[in-house]
Structures are given as C-alpha cells and as structure tokens.
Amino acid sequence: MSGSGTAGGGLRPGRRLRGAVPLGRRGFLRGAGLAGTAAALAACGVPGIKVTEYTPVADVSDTDKTLNWSNWPFYIDVAEEDSDEPTTLQRFTEKTGIEVAYTEDVNDNDEYFAKIQPQLTGGQAIGADLFVVTDWMVGKLIRLGFLTEFDHANIPNLANLRPELRDVSFDPGRKYSITWQSGLAGIAVNPAAAGGREITSMDQLLTDPALRGKVTLLTEMRDTVGLTMMDLGYSIEDFTFEQFDKAIAKLQDAVDSGQIRRFTGNDYGSDLAQGNVAACVGWTGDVVSLQADSPELGFVVPEAGCTIWSDNFVAPIRSPRKKNAEALVNHYFDPEIATQSEDWINYITPVTGVAEAMADYDPELLEDPLVFPDEQTLSKAQVFMGLTEEEENRCNRAFAKLTGA
C-alpha cells in the first residue's frame, strides 16, 4: 500500500472472513450500561489503587490442565462446518491436554479494567488467567502492580516475535506483556459516497464542506487525536499538551460546524458500507472484513502518517495457571499456528515467518496491504506517547468533553 493510496479487494477463494459487517477486534460498548461505565471512567479519570503487596499463589498448571482466556470479540479463528481442520485452540488442547475456556468479554479497555480492578486492587485472582488489552492499558496495569511477569524460558517461540516489538517503552524487555496482534488507524473511505474525491488527510475529513455530516471519528482518543496531531505536523511519540490542545480545538471546530456525524466504536462499518458515511477514522482489520461484501471500500494512510497499536497478552496477579498461560502464548508464536490464526483475524501478525507460511496456506492474503503492510507504510506509523496516570486523566477529560461522553 502506498503512503497515500487506497486498498481494495474482495473475498478471496479459501479465505475465512467472519461475515458481512462484524463487530471486530474493538467491539463497541454494548448497551447503555457499558457505555456509561467507559464514559465515566474517561471523564473522571478514575485511578486504580496500586497493589503494594500480595501473597503469591502456587502454580497448579502441572496438575490442573485448564486455562481461562479473555479476549476481544471476533479475534480468533473459529470452526467451519465444511472443514475438518481443527481450530488453533483445538490444536493447542490436542498438543498439551490443556482445556481452554475462551471468553469474548474484553469489549473496551476501560470497561474491562473497571470490571477487574476491585479484585486486583485487593490482590485477588480474577476469572481470567490470561487476557488481552492494548498497549496503553498494559502500561497502566504495570504501574498499578496488577500483572505478573512471564517466564520467557517457558515461551521458546518468543524468539519469533518481530524485532521492533521486543522492547517497548511501556514494558521494557517484555516482562509483563507479549503482542497478540497489531493494527493501523487511518481513514476508511466509501468512494461513491465521497463523490470520487481523493482523500489523503485528516484536514479533509474535518473541513471539506462536501463531506459535512458524513464523517465519523473514533471514540479511541489515541487514534482520533493522534491522527489530528500528526496532520498538524506534530509527532505523537513526543508531544506537548499545547500541541494536544490544538488538536482538540481543531476537532471541536469540526464538531461545532456539523462536520462530524458522530463518534463511534467500530460500529461505523454499517454506515460506511451503506454510504451514510463517506469517510471516517477506522482500523485496518475492520476494513478488511467489510471488503468481503463491499470491495469498493478503501483504507487510506494519511499523508501525515497513521497510528499503530498493539493488543497484548498479559497475566494478572495471583493466577494459579500461569505456566498454562505461557504454554498458550508459546503455541500462538509457532508460525504455523499464527498463520492459521492470521487467516481469520486479518490484523498485523507479530510473528516472523508467517508471510512465508502464508505463501502456501493462503497466498492471495499476502497481496492484502492491510494485513501485510509494506515498509513504506510502516515507516509512516507512529505509536502514541506513553502517559503518566495524571497525564492520561487530563487527556481523557479533554476528549470526553469533545465527544460529549
């Protein structure tokens, strides 16, 4: 994918896409209760209470062959009626004897934190032995003392982690987290609804009168504000609050003028496909799935660049089955397993060797620049700067005021 081009493409033979308009990796908050919880957290900046000490528990993995894994919706391969191929989870159980209780209950980073925070603050176990959250939430959980370290000796396949992901600012040395999937945020476009115009910048989304009322932005602060800051010429990897506030002001002008239809989770998909939305801030994996039934839809990396994020495996304190969790992480870093998983998930894999394996498994998927972006695209991607809890609360309050949360 070129730095400012669009990517298209429809359903490929043999490819296992999830359906017409899935909720995807960042499923939007379901119901007013969850939405209210997340909005309150964002607006008030509810802090966690750091765990100062807790009593470790014995690991029972050698005798208890079970594992509880919490993940985002539609973020793993599933069984097909017309195929005898076992799923990656079934293959894990066949290989290790460990039965996995897989739960899709991570609908939003803040909402999931609110769910598990009371137990973690008390130094107690939660239902999950392993769960998946985004970079910035990992940093918060580490600061609060809510995570336990992985034993890399139990994860030999971690050698297959892509080099650029091995040492990250929020978790130096990857002691507490290991990447599950990565993705890009940029501009999703319905060419017909956009009148065939080429869209290459956030400024167009926020100011072009022809798009008025047909633009949506994400409720994910780091993506919406991040892309706007980049469009203003700022680096989101090292910025000042003055620069952040200028981006908020530009977004506020767009809201006040009626340019913005609404702020969304990834429920922008239906409106985009139906043409109610001409262009929006969106995620690569969502667009790949939408293209199954709407191949005309495109994804644009803005000229100023795009944001990149990762979701990560983490193990909470007092999990009695951490060794089982490490076995599962090791399983998914086997390139063969990661390839089968990637054929369903369609985000950016953290595992080296998948591209080579995909050449035999589903070679046409290699042609999709949203799943296998080129170096030019990745060179334009930036990670949102790590924030202290005080800084995060400040940014969240400003963004919540903007979105009306």
Side-chain angles (χ1 to χ4, degrees), residues 62-84:
D62 289 340
T63 56
D64 183 350
K65 296 299 182 181
T66 63
L67 177 69
N68 300 318
W69 178 14
S70 288
N71 203 354
W72 299 76
F74 303 101
Y75 216 13
I76 199 170
D77 57 302
V78 297
E80 290 186 295
E81 293 182 1
D82 59 348
S83 174
D84 294 329

Side-chain angles (χ1 to χ4, degrees), residues 306-336:
C306 59
T307 62
I308 186 169
W309 49 265
S310 294
D311 288 329
N312 307 268
F313 290 112
V314 293
I317 54 175
R318 293 183 63 82
S319 167
R321 290 170 287 270
K322 185 170 76 75
K323 191 174 177 181
N324 287 349
E326 292 161 344
L328 185 134
V329 174
N330 190 62
H331 174 71
Y332 278 97
F333 272 80
D334 178 332
E336 180 183 342

